[in-house]
Amino acid sequence: MAAFFDEYVRHVFPERRAQARAEWPWPGDEWADERLREATWLRIAGTGEPSRWTEIVEFGPGAGKYTAMALARTPAQVTAYEISSAFIEILEQRFAAEVSQGRLGIRKIDWADNEGLLRDYDCRIGSADVCFAIDVLMMMDFQSALVYLISAAAMLRRGGRFVATFADGGTVSGLDRMLRDVGRHSAFDAAPCTRFHWIDAPILSAILPRLGFGNLVIEHGPEGGLDIARLYLQAELVDPEAAARARRCLLPVGDSTNRRASDAVGR
């Protein structure tokens, strides 16, 4: 996936911008308009007090659409975790002043390291006011997305908030897109792509409390347009003890064939 997004930033986006004769300054600008970005920011801000936030964590910033909002609209220090080296280069260019001032830390994710996020965050575990992941978990199967949910629960302080979007399988627009994308993606199952991985509200409602989250707000995005098939989640960390217990799920216990760790190591 990192190589996929590197290719997008360096080659696909410039070609797409030229073909559209558009004035998109940054990769990803074609994915959302100002209306959608503002509506999403309102969900990130929620009913909290952004003017009092000191620490924000962002998963998958891309070129920094929401990173820019967080830096401009809060006094917080922002830590942004990204898998793509090309996107990281964009972020370092776009936010050079904020990086040099120490307001923005840009960190590269090791996709295969379940505990990498928390090992990097280390002494600040349990201190973040907000963690958010906008349009990144949509392209991740939910089993993999759980690593980020569990990591967010550990990073947040009690009362901190996690905000994310998922691919909404519970709407007409979501079902329409599933059918449309059969021919677009299913023949290329082994290759990284922009295929959505679908989920619905009951799964989130059932599993998030087990990770320490409560006061859930789960809403279907408006049908059609640029907001097609997004499921918006807002959740508050209410049980840090449950979050701490969930961290044990990140430990490797075997391999992909379900062999025990001891058996897998010996072969």
Side-chain angles (χ1 to χ4, degrees), residues 142-158:
F142 192 64
Q143 188 73 66
S144 299
L146 276 172
V147 171
Y148 294 85
L149 272 65
I150 293 169
S151 297
M155 291 171 167
L156 288 165
R157 60 170 174 78
R158 184 188 294 271

Side-chain angles (χ1 to χ4, degrees), residues 25 34 40 47 52-53 64 74 79 93 98 110 114 129-130 157 163 194 197 206 218 220-221 232 235 238 250 256 263:
E34 191 63 26
T40 302
T47 57
R52 300 179 65 178
W53 292 348
T74 81
T79 304
Q93 173 189 349
E98 289 83 358
D110 179 352
N114 276 12
D129 297 289
V130 174
R157 60 170 174 78
V163 183
T194 56
H197 291 271
I218 302 172
H220 301 289
Y232 289 90
V238 298
L250 298 178
S256 60
D263 293 339

Side-chain angles (χ1 to χ4, degrees), residues 54-192:
T54 60
E55 201 163 329
I56 295 172
V57 175
E58 181 179 11
F59 302 139
K65 294 186 294 295
Y66 299 104
T67 316
M69 290 181 169
L71 290 167
R73 302 181 187 190
T74 81
Q77 177 181 351
V78 179
T79 304
Y81 288 99
E82 174 58 55
I83 66 171
S84 163
S85 296
F87 267 135
I88 287 175
E89 291 169 6
I90 293 287
L91 291 166
E92 290 172 341
Q93 173 189 349
R94 184 174 185 176
F95 302 111
E98 289 83 358
V99 171
S100 67
Q101 294 162 5
R103 280 209 60 206
L104 175 62
I106 303 167
R107 313 294 293 174
K108 198 172 194 303
I109 294 174
D110 179 352
W111 179 264
D113 186 353
N114 276 12
E115 298 180 280
L117 286 163
L118 297 185
R119 190 163 52 250
D120 183 84
Y121 207 61
D122 194 22
C123 62
R124 292 182 290 162
I125 285 173
S127 64
D129 297 289
V130 174
C131 293
F132 67 90
I134 305 302
D135 293 358
V136 59
L137 303 181
M138 298 171 76
M139 290 180 283
M140 188 183 301
D141 69 89
F142 192 64
Q143 188 73 66
S144 299
L146 276 172
V147 171
Y148 294 85
L149 272 65
I150 293 169
S151 297
M155 291 171 167
L156 288 165
R157 60 170 174 78
R158 184 188 294 271
R161 298 172 67 253
F162 178 64
V163 183
T165 56
F166 295 87
D168 190 354
T171 59
V172 172
S173 63
L175 295 172
D176 287 346
R177 182 158 181 159
M178 285 187 217
L179 291 170
R180 186 197 76 185
D181 282 357
V182 169
R184 177 175 297 180
H185 295 313
S186 296
F188 308 98
D189 191 57

